[in-house]
Amino acid sequence: MHSETPDPSPVPDRDGAAPDRPDPLIVVGEGQGRVVPAPTAAPSSSHDAGGDPDADIDGVDPEAAEPPTLVTVDVLAGWLGLAPVEDLPPVPGGPAYAQPGRCRPNRVILLDVRFRATGGGPDHAAYLQGHLPGAVYVSLPSQLAGHAGPAAGRHPLPDARQFAETVRMWGIDEGDTIVVYDDDHGLSAARAWWLLRHAGLRDSVLLDGGLEAWRAAGLPLQPGEVIPVPGTARPSWGRMPVVDTAGAEAMASGGLLLDARAAERYRGEVEPFDPVAGHIPGARNVPTAESIAEDGRLRPAAELAERFDAVGVDDATPVAVYCGSGITAAHAVLTLAVAGRPGVALYPGSWSAWVQDPSNAVAVRDRGWVRGLAVHPDTLLHAPFGVADNLEDGPMSTAAASRPAPSRVPGPSPAPVPGRACSPRPCSWWGSPVARSRRTAARPRAPPPLRRRTPRPRPGDSPWRTPPSGTPRGPRCPPW
């Protein structure tokens, strides 16, 4: 962390001209580094609106993902009026990168999207310790996603009106250039880039290399919270192509469906987040993490184009991408745009929404063996099935298939899905201690029987038995 706190005033343009908008930030307490909004004029009526009208939802824009989509550290430092300490590689050529001579932003808005998709969640504490000068913190679960549900997945798209208010809360005005970054090689910040493009804000780019490249260049960081003045931008929702569960199934059969998850999750060997392992039948695996070089920056556009051409991506084939919950799939859409393939559709619900439908099939490994999710609808959410046993041998033998399938779920056995083979062997999850405890907790239990309270002996009581009331008194006898 650097000792000097940079000036968090509005970012001038490349020529050093002051912005037309008044200074929206005032530093309060040099030691705390907290930034609060300065007094401004009363907002206009359009700013006070709770959301954008329905007329602003115009539909898909074929050029919504057009370049530039990336900005390098040295170009961004020039926009901010900073000089890198270390020598940086030259700006890659091509339209995907913002060039210093062609891009002249009027004002730059920085968004810090720190979120660990593989575990840990948002990291607001690290943001408070140090971030890019003037960067506003963005919470991915609450600001870049809606309410999770079985049909929508773990990270569905946010509501259009709510996201419009969120964009204005970040201090974004019409014509601003928005730079998003994170500390996870852009895997989380690409979700913000995709949503901004989906909302019609085409002047949004991703910082190539993220916070790691910024630190490697010796550029300063600013501690504390940044609270900007609300902006006046009016997004138009629905610009990027999107497919639902039925569209993803149609894309897998009639187009090209890409799986952006890791190879082991695609093969069904492991599934750390969702109840069922495997992939959508017909999908091709292109892990988006392999598009990142060792230094944390995106690989060259020509290398990315070769990688996608090898799986059949071309101009004549419609393409859609999915991942676990729609986060890293947005990074795959960005990577395809850098490779010269914009217009790729996103499946927001992704695998987390696909496995919640019992009628959807699940493919395991690359041997063409498809296993249907023929389970009871009432037990799908709390009693999911994992990968079936003995998958190395491909389809099961005739003798194994002829054996009667054990009952997996309580109640009547559901009818199997036509044309989709189901494994008769119960998975290992069904016999795990967690599954047994859930089944035991779901069973109705009778109330415990009432127990008769036995009075405690008081001091001074005789050890001899006392006959019950109503019996003739006689000589007391010892207990034996």
Side-chain angles (χ1 to χ4, degrees), residues 53 63 73 80 85 94 106 130 136-138 147 172 180 202 276 320 377 404 409:
E63 300 180 355
V73 170
L80 302 179
V85 177
N106 181 30
V136 180
Y137 178 74
V138 176
H147 296 288
I172 299 176
V180 296
R202 296 176 57 182
V276 181
V409 294

Short mmCIF file of all heavy atoms in Angstrom, two decimals, residues 53 63 73 80 85 94 106 130 136-138 147 172 180 202 276 320 377 404 409:
data_model
loop_
_atom_site.label_atom_id
_atom_site.label_comp_id
_atom_site.label_asym_id
_atom_site.label_seq_id
_atom_site.Cartn_x
_atom_site.Cartn_y
_atom_site.Cartn_z
N PRO A 53 -38.39 3.63 -18.49
CA PRO A 53 -39.67 3.19 -19.02
C PRO A 53 -39.50 2.00 -19.94
O PRO A 53 -38.43 1.67 -20.40
CB PRO A 53 -40.17 4.43 -19.78
CG PRO A 53 -38.94 5.20 -20.11
CD PRO A 53 -37.99 4.95 -18.99
N GLU A 63 -24.47 -4.96 -32.68
CA GLU A 63 -23.17 -4.36 -32.44
C GLU A 63 -22.93 -4.05 -30.97
O GLU A 63 -22.08 -3.23 -30.64
CB GLU A 63 -23.03 -3.09 -33.27
CG GLU A 63 -23.15 -3.30 -34.77
CD GLU A 63 -23.02 -2.02 -35.55
OE1 GLU A 63 -22.94 -0.95 -34.89
OE2 GLU A 63 -23.00 -2.07 -36.78
N VAL A 73 -3.02 -1.40 -19.08
CA VAL A 73 -2.71 -0.59 -17.91
C VAL A 73 -2.11 0.75 -18.31
O VAL A 73 -2.46 1.80 -17.74
CB VAL A 73 -1.77 -1.38 -16.98
CG1 VAL A 73 -1.23 -0.49 -15.87
CG2 VAL A 73 -2.50 -2.57 -16.38
N LEU A 80 -5.90 8.51 -16.74
CA LEU A 80 -5.97 9.02 -15.36
C LEU A 80 -4.89 10.03 -15.04
O LEU A 80 -4.86 10.55 -13.91
CB LEU A 80 -5.88 7.85 -14.37
CG LEU A 80 -6.94 6.76 -14.50
CD1 LEU A 80 -6.70 5.67 -13.47
CD2 LEU A 80 -8.33 7.34 -14.36
N VAL A 85 5.56 3.18 -13.26
CA VAL A 85 6.96 3.14 -12.81
C VAL A 85 7.73 2.09 -13.59
O VAL A 85 8.88 2.31 -14.00
CB VAL A 85 7.02 2.86 -11.30
CG1 VAL A 85 8.46 2.74 -10.83
CG2 VAL A 85 6.28 3.95 -10.53
N GLY A 94 -4.88 -4.23 -33.15
CA GLY A 94 -6.19 -4.81 -33.37
C GLY A 94 -7.28 -3.98 -32.76
O GLY A 94 -7.05 -3.16 -31.84
N ASN A 106 -14.32 11.25 -22.50
CA ASN A 106 -14.65 12.49 -21.82
C ASN A 106 -14.48 12.35 -20.31
O ASN A 106 -13.94 13.24 -19.66
CB ASN A 106 -16.10 12.89 -22.15
CG ASN A 106 -16.50 14.18 -21.48
OD1 ASN A 106 -15.67 15.04 -21.24
ND2 ASN A 106 -17.77 14.32 -21.17
N GLY A 130 -7.14 -1.02 -0.56
CA GLY A 130 -6.49 -0.37 -1.69
C GLY A 130 -7.16 -0.73 -3.00
O GLY A 130 -7.40 -1.91 -3.27
N VAL A 136 -15.19 2.68 -7.76
CA VAL A 136 -16.39 2.40 -6.97
C VAL A 136 -16.52 0.89 -6.81
O VAL A 136 -16.36 0.14 -7.77
CB VAL A 136 -17.63 3.00 -7.64
CG1 VAL A 136 -18.88 2.72 -6.81
CG2 VAL A 136 -17.46 4.49 -7.85
N TYR A 137 -16.82 0.46 -5.60
CA TYR A 137 -16.95 -0.98 -5.35
C TYR A 137 -18.29 -1.48 -5.88
O TYR A 137 -19.34 -0.84 -5.73
CB TYR A 137 -16.84 -1.28 -3.85
CG TYR A 137 -17.02 -2.73 -3.52
CD1 TYR A 137 -16.01 -3.65 -3.81
CD2 TYR A 137 -18.20 -3.20 -2.95
CE1 TYR A 137 -16.17 -4.99 -3.52
CE2 TYR A 137 -18.36 -4.54 -2.65
CZ TYR A 137 -17.35 -5.43 -2.94
OH TYR A 137 -17.52 -6.76 -2.66
N VAL A 138 -18.27 -2.67 -6.48
CA VAL A 138 -19.45 -3.32 -7.04
C VAL A 138 -19.58 -4.69 -6.39
O VAL A 138 -18.63 -5.49 -6.42
CB VAL A 138 -19.34 -3.45 -8.57
CG1 VAL A 138 -20.54 -4.22 -9.12
CG2 VAL A 138 -19.24 -2.08 -9.22
N HIS A 147 -32.42 -12.44 -7.80
CA HIS A 147 -32.70 -13.43 -6.76
C HIS A 147 -32.61 -14.84 -7.37
O HIS A 147 -33.21 -15.12 -8.40
CB HIS A 147 -34.09 -13.20 -6.17
CG HIS A 147 -34.22 -11.89 -5.45
ND1 HIS A 147 -33.62 -11.64 -4.22
CD2 HIS A 147 -34.85 -10.75 -5.79
CE1 HIS A 147 -33.90 -10.42 -3.84
NE2 HIS A 147 -34.64 -9.85 -4.77
N ILE A 172 -22.60 7.04 -13.15
CA ILE A 172 -22.38 6.98 -14.59
C ILE A 172 -23.33 7.95 -15.29
O ILE A 172 -24.54 7.94 -15.03
CB ILE A 172 -22.57 5.55 -15.12
CG1 ILE A 172 -21.56 4.62 -14.44
CG2 ILE A 172 -22.43 5.49 -16.63
CD1 ILE A 172 -21.73 3.16 -14.81
N VAL A 180 -13.97 -1.67 -16.01
CA VAL A 180 -14.22 -2.65 -14.95
C VAL A 180 -12.97 -3.49 -14.76
O VAL A 180 -12.23 -3.77 -15.71
CB VAL A 180 -15.44 -3.53 -15.28
CG1 VAL A 180 -16.70 -2.70 -15.35
CG2 VAL A 180 -15.23 -4.27 -16.58
N ARG A 202 -22.21 1.00 -24.42
CA ARG A 202 -21.17 0.37 -25.25
C ARG A 202 -19.79 0.89 -24.94
O ARG A 202 -18.81 0.25 -25.33
CB ARG A 202 -21.50 0.60 -26.72
CG ARG A 202 -22.79 -0.08 -27.17
CD ARG A 202 -23.14 0.24 -28.60
NE ARG A 202 -22.06 -0.13 -29.51
CZ ARG A 202 -22.08 0.08 -30.82
NH1 ARG A 202 -23.14 0.67 -31.36
NH2 ARG A 202 -21.07 -0.28 -31.58
N VAL A 276 -25.78 -31.82 -9.36
CA VAL A 276 -25.59 -32.85 -10.36
C VAL A 276 -24.35 -32.50 -11.18
O VAL A 276 -24.13 -31.35 -11.52
CB VAL A 276 -26.82 -32.99 -11.28
CG1 VAL A 276 -26.62 -34.09 -12.31
CG2 VAL A 276 -28.07 -33.26 -10.46
N ALA A 320 -23.85 -20.19 -28.53
CA ALA A 320 -24.25 -19.79 -27.18
C ALA A 320 -23.25 -20.37 -26.19
O ALA A 320 -22.61 -21.39 -26.46
CB ALA A 320 -25.67 -20.25 -26.85
N PRO A 377 -40.14 -34.89 -8.66
CA PRO A 377 -39.98 -33.43 -8.62
C PRO A 377 -39.89 -32.87 -7.22
O PRO A 377 -39.20 -31.88 -6.99
CB PRO A 377 -41.24 -32.91 -9.35
CG PRO A 377 -41.73 -34.08 -10.15
CD PRO A 377 -41.34 -35.29 -9.37
N PRO A 404 -33.62 -55.15 -11.58
CA PRO A 404 -34.60 -54.12 -11.17
C PRO A 404 -33.90 -52.98 -10.47
O PRO A 404 -32.97 -53.18 -9.68
CB PRO A 404 -35.56 -54.88 -10.24
CG PRO A 404 -34.75 -56.05 -9.75
CD PRO A 404 -33.83 -56.43 -10.87
N VAL A 409 -36.32 -42.70 -4.39
CA VAL A 409 -37.04 -41.62 -3.74
C VAL A 409 -38.31 -42.17 -3.15
O VAL A 409 -38.87 -43.15 -3.62
CB VAL A 409 -37.37 -40.49 -4.75
CG1 VAL A 409 -36.11 -39.83 -5.23
CG2 VAL A 409 -38.17 -41.03 -5.91
#
